[in-house]
Amino acid sequence: MSPSRPKVAPEAGPGPARRWGKGRGDAGRTPLSGAQRALLAASFLITLGSFAVLPYMSVLLHRRLGLGLGAVGFVLAVASLIQFAGGVVAGPVAGRIGLRRAMLLALALRTAGFAAFVPGLGSPALAVGALLLVSAGAALYLPANKAYLVDGASEAARPRLLSASGSAFNAGMALGPPAAAPLVMGSPGALFACVTVLFALVGAGHALLPREGSGGGAGGRSAPAPSVSAGAPLTPPPAPLTPTATPATPAGAPPTAVAPMPGASLPARGGGERRDRVPGGAATAAAPVRDRLTASPGLSPFVVTVLSVYAFMFFQHYLALYAVPRTSAGFYGAVLTGYAALLVVAQPLLAERVAALGYPAAQWWGFGAMAAGMAAIGAGGHAGIAVGAVLLCLGEIVLFLKNDLEALARSTAAPASVFGRQRLAAGIGAFGAAVVGGQLYGAAEAAGSARGFWVAVGLQCLLLPVFLLFRRRTARNPEEPRAAAP
């Protein structure tokens, strides 16, 4: 029998203080490294260049190159599938060749793709090939980008880093389309040439980044050190063992198990964090992480991400069809710009609060905000659409950020592989929303009430957290008899 350990009160130890008190403030005051700042700036420039041309791709393929709308839809669907589902391949590739090299390869693919568009504006086959090349580069880049950004960073710093990354990407998405509007139809060749030069310069900047884990990398780590929570007393190193401290083992007897010494570090399950133990079995700051990992086994971040993106993409795909005839194209553009601006500002401000939410609570808040937003859009008018967009933005912030954080915390895989799987989940959700939404919107219009579409989508958003929490409860039930057994 193993010796019994003295019981420790739940509030003992520095774990809660780190999660709710000084630890959060310290994490917020930690300055970004030079590599992290450079990567965030590059993220903005990459989406600025990409969204200067990609939102207009359907117009270019149809009007400039003469492809039918059915062919245009098929090409864009394949490109989207490569961009999202390719993240599953991107994770292992980045793990094999390294994060920085993966980003360089991805940017080389995208630079070549945008360059091929210049002669491809007179050849549909070349233009389609260029688009698929750009999509492949995007599939490889994003998982490696996020993994490099959090490389060597503590779990407490991850919400701030990932929210800053999201803000950088969304800022580029907001500014790209209006910046390219004067050139996209009149001089598309000049536009693609400018984007090609921009990506070549960004790629050259990535070549100057330090390799991950090299001391000057993204997280600025040099050598692993024991994690010590804020305000916790340092445990003195154990005294060297003397001959009298180790009992002799008889010849031929099996070696006896040696209990870990106080302060010895144990490997963590998720995110590469270290967990330190103190005498009596009390955990340090990593205890809330372990408790969260074991507390909700039924809530798979992959499944929640699929359903989160599925619910959100109804808004993304079909708002234009609903809003433009009822307001104007200018108002619709202003709503999208305001949406992106709100996302850029609000996501970093709410990152710590989102990280502190439990996963079930985040789903109630996120899907609830989306349901309210769909209802507001269904009410119609300028005010309803604007209010609905704000609520959808809040739902996106809560769900998308929390899903990434949970996926990182629960997985033993490398961060690049985790983000690759998250991209696959997003692709599945977006595909489902496109298929279901087209049928649903068509049925609503045939019935003479497009508002019914938003009501139906809002009801789905209300039911999704109920389904997820029921799934969590059924996943827990098989363990309950074992927990009650003596």
Side-chain angles (χ1 to χ4, degrees):
M1 292 179 60
S2 59
S4 59
R5 293 180 177 178
K7 294 183 179 180
V8 180
E11 63 272 11
R18 176 179 176 88
R19 184 175 180 184
W20 300 106
K22 188 177 179 180
R24 277 176 57 190
D26 289 346
R29 290 194 294 268
T30 302
L32 297 176
S33 68
Q36 288 170 337
R37 293 179 184 275
L39 199 63
L40 291 175
S43 300
F44 166 74
L45 293 175
I46 286 171
T47 49
L48 177 68
S50 298
F51 277 77
V53 293
L54 295 181
Y56 302 103
M57 196 55 58
S58 60
V59 178
L60 291 173
L61 292 175
H62 179 57
R63 295 187 179 180
R64 178 88 182 193
L65 297 174
L67 293 181
L69 288 177
V72 169
F74 177 76
V75 168
L76 295 180
V78 172
S80 299
L81 184 63
I82 292 174
Q83 182 173 344
F84 283 104
V88 177
V89 179
V93 170
R96 178 174 292 272
I97 68 176
L99 300 177
R100 186 185 64 167
R101 289 181 179 177
M103 289 190 291
L104 289 172
L105 176 59
L107 290 172
L109 291 174
R110 302 195 79 183
T111 303
F114 284 119
F117 268 114
V118 178
L121 291 172
S123 169
L126 188 55
V128 171
L131 177 60
L132 299 182
L133 196 61
V134 169
S135 299
L140 178 59
Y141 182 81
L142 188 60
N145 172 286
K146 287 189 174 183
Y148 187 94
L149 188 65
V150 301
D151 178 64
S154 66
E155 187 186 0
R158 286 174 176 174
R160 187 169 62 102
L161 291 173
L162 291 178
S163 64
S165 175
S167 294
F169 279 115
N170 282 286
M173 293 178 189
L175 297 179
L183 295 175
V184 67
M185 295 306 298
S187 303
L191 176 62
F192 280 107
C194 291
V195 173
T196 301
V197 172
L198 175 63
F199 270 82
L201 293 175
V202 172
H206 277 64
L208 302 177
L209 291 173
R211 292 183 61 184
E212 59 274 12
S214 61
R221 70 181 180 187
S222 53
S227 59
V228 180
S229 60
L234 293 175
T235 304
L241 295 176
T242 62
T244 58
T246 55
T249 302
T256 58
V258 180
M261 292 181 295
S265 298
L266 300 176
R269 280 184 53 84
E273 300 289 331
R274 295 167 64 102
R275 294 181 190 165
D276 296 344
R277 289 281 189 176
V278 296
T284 61
V289 180
R290 184 181 64 256
D291 294 342
R292 194 167 62 247
L293 294 179
T294 59
S296 52
L299 296 176
S300 166
F302 185 91
V303 174
V304 181
T305 300
V306 169
L307 296 178
S308 300
V309 177
Y310 166 80
F312 172 77
M313 291 304 289
F314 287 102
F315 164 78
Q316 191 80 1
H317 285 319
Y318 300 104
L319 181 63
L321 289 175
Y322 180 80
V324 172
R326 291 165 176 77
T327 56
S328 67
F331 177 77
Y332 171 71
V335 168
L336 293 186
T337 302
Y339 184 98
L342 178 61
L343 199 62
V344 169
V345 174
Q347 192 170 33
L349 296 177
L350 298 176
E352 294 296 331
R353 294 182 180 273
V354 172
L357 282 174
Y359 205 21
Q363 291 167 56
W364 282 114
W365 281 105
F367 284 114
M370 286 188 179
M374 301 296 181
I377 293 173
H382 293 72
I385 293 172
V387 171
V390 171
L391 292 170
L392 264 295
C393 182
L394 295 177
E396 178 186 352
I397 290 172
V398 173
L399 286 175
F400 289 15
L401 178 57
K402 190 64 177 180
N403 287 338
D404 280 352
L405 293 173
E406 283 292 313
L408 278 174
R410 293 179 184 216
S411 178
T412 59
S417 296
V418 174
F419 289 123
R421 289 196 295 267
Q422 289 297 96
R423 292 281 289 174
L424 173 62
I428 295 173
F431 181 82
V435 173
V436 175
Q439 301 297 323
L440 192 60
Y441 198 92
E445 279 200 333
S449 176
R451 293 181 177 182
F453 168 82
W454 301 103
V455 173
V457 174
L459 289 175
Q460 289 186 80
C461 293
L462 286 178
L463 293 176
L464 284 176
V466 177
F467 162 75
L468 290 169
L469 294 179
F470 174 78
R471 183 175 182 272
R472 171 175 178 257
R473 181 174 299 175
T474 55
R476 276 184 166 184
N477 283 339
E479 299 181 0
E480 289 176 357
R482 289 198 301 268

